[in-house]
Amino acid sequence: MLRWLGRPRLSFVRAPQLPAGPWVPDRAAAASPSASAPGRTSVTPLPLSYMVFDGPAPQPPLVFLHGLLGSKGNFRAIARALVQRSGRKVLTVDARNHGESPHSPTMSYEAMSLDVQRLLHQLRLPKCILVGHSMGGKTAMTLALQQPDLVERLVSVDISPTESVAVTNFLAYISAMRKVSIPSGIPRSTARRLAEDQLRPAVQVSAVRQFLLTNLVEAEGRYVWRVNLEAISHHMANIMGFPVFHAPYPGPTLFLAGSDSPYVSSEDYPEIERLFPEAEIQYIPGAGHWVHADKSQEFITAICNFLLLP
């Protein structure tokens, strides 16, 4: 039944080496309806880049999955604070086609779930607490529904297990980013300013522009987006949707939403309750879609309180 609730050592790992020997996801992970639909090709899990924030507690670690066009660095300050307050180890992870993780033409929640499963297997983590924002929240929900034994608790940040296209502006952001053109051989500060000027007509909120500009990098003398915009654009319908599941995730679940965001509404409650019968829904006052950035202290407190629930 739904319920409503009103400095550590840092290790940075780029795309890690895969463990020796074959790794095969168990049957439940591969049996999602959309993953096994006719005409689908098999998915090869990718070695993801991640950061580790060490904590002394022996309990399962928190694993943070960022949203569309984000990166593992989005949760750096949050991770440090959670290590200090909870004592648990915290990992932040780059999704495929984002940050320092490899690019792939495949971009689905089944594929992103398998990537995280591979990382958990590589790090020998039998259980974790998944915390996913937006696209990362849908990845976390997919993994929990496929492999509930791997997920001790689940936190979905400002996203529901429903279609998001009606409330999102990401289609416009992607289009604007693809149109940006920057000459070679100019200082980074100039390149960033030019990119921001070109984004401004479509992305009017300064904080959102700054968020998108974290993806602008220099490679071989050229300024490019480190996110795989081609693959993301091709799979936007999948990213905005959510796979079909029938069996629920039985573990404790928190849907942590911003009160000023439309991404989790009362229309989503029946599907949340169907798939996550032990869910709580909490809205953080004054927060928009990027809850952890808008109200970081309230976000951290909500996570810590959730960890203490029986």
Side-chain angles (χ1 to χ4, degrees):
M1 178 177 240
L2 288 182
R3 297 181 293 274
W4 289 263
L5 300 173
R7 178 169 329 202
R9 191 179 75 219
L10 168 65
S11 302
F12 170 69
V13 184
R14 293 176 184 261
Q17 295 297 315
L18 298 181
W23 176 80
V24 180
D26 71 31
R27 192 170 301 170
S32 167
S34 55
S36 57
R40 294 267 182 167
T41 57
S42 60
V43 175
T44 300
L46 298 180
L48 301 180
S49 176
Y50 61 95
M51 294 179 181
V52 178
F53 301 79
D54 280 330
Q59 292 96 334
L62 288 85
V63 177
F64 277 80
L65 309 178
H66 63 78
L68 184 61
L69 305 180
S71 71
K72 60 183 177 293
N74 296 157
F75 290 106
R76 188 192 304 264
I78 297 290
R80 286 173 170 153
L82 283 170
V83 171
Q84 292 176 342
R85 289 188 56 174
S86 73
R88 295 194 188 221
K89 178 183 292 187
V90 179
L91 285 75
T92 66
V93 182
D94 277 338
R96 62 170 55 204
N97 294 319
H98 289 72
E100 299 289 339
S101 284
H103 286 191
S104 168
T106 302
M107 189 78 179
S108 68
Y109 288 114
E110 294 86 356
M112 289 186 280
S113 170
L114 287 174
D115 293 342
V116 178
Q117 290 177 49
R118 180 114 200 190
L119 179 61
L120 296 176
H121 172 77
Q122 176 195 347
L123 298 178
R124 296 179 174 83
L125 297 175
K127 276 188 180 292
C128 70
I129 296 170
L130 280 182
V131 185
H133 171 246
S134 196
M135 179 189 77
K138 289 188 174 184
T139 301
M141 287 186 278
T142 298
L143 198 160
L145 289 162
Q146 290 177 328
Q147 299 285 353
D149 290 344
L150 292 177
V151 184
E152 182 183 86
R153 292 172 185 258
L154 171 67
V155 182
S156 178
V157 183
D158 209 59
I159 202 70
S160 296
T162 59
E163 190 173 36
S164 307
V165 68
V167 296
T168 185
N169 293 318
F170 278 99
L171 292 167
Y173 300 161
I174 294 286
S175 178
M177 292 172 73
R178 297 189 76 179
K179 294 176 183 176
V180 168
S181 177
I182 303 173
S184 303
I186 61 174
R188 176 173 173 78
S189 59
T190 303
R192 187 181 177 93
R193 185 171 65 251
L194 288 174
E196 183 172 11
D197 288 343
Q198 293 177 53
L199 289 174
R200 186 173 284 107
V203 188
Q204 298 177 1
V205 179
S206 176
V208 177
R209 290 198 302 274
Q210 300 311 311
F211 167 71
L212 299 179
L213 287 168
T214 61
N215 291 294
L216 186 67
V217 296
E218 186 176 8
E220 299 178 355
R222 298 171 54 244
Y223 289 96
V224 297
W225 299 110
R226 64 180 176 179
V227 286
N228 187 349
L229 291 177
E230 182 177 355
I232 292 170
S233 298
H234 185 70
H235 292 286
M236 279 300 289
N238 290 337
I239 296 169
M240 292 298 109
F242 190 71
V244 176
F245 290 97
H246 301 289
Y249 168 68
T253 306
L254 174 63
F255 284 82
L256 189 56
S259 66
D260 298 340
S261 172
Y263 280 80
V264 180
S265 73
S266 59
E267 295 179 357
D268 304 326
Y269 295 171
E271 187 67 356
I272 289 174
E273 185 168 18
R274 183 182 75 84
L275 291 175
F276 304 96
E278 296 301 316
E280 296 181 352
I281 300 176
Q282 179 179 351
Y283 291 89
I284 294 184
H289 183 53
W290 284 273
V291 184
H292 50 285
D294 293 343
K295 296 289 181 179
S296 59
Q297 291 306 311
E298 292 87 344
F299 177 85
I300 292 166
T301 296
I303 297 292
C304 289
N305 289 341
F306 179 61
L307 293 178
L308 296 175
L309 292 176

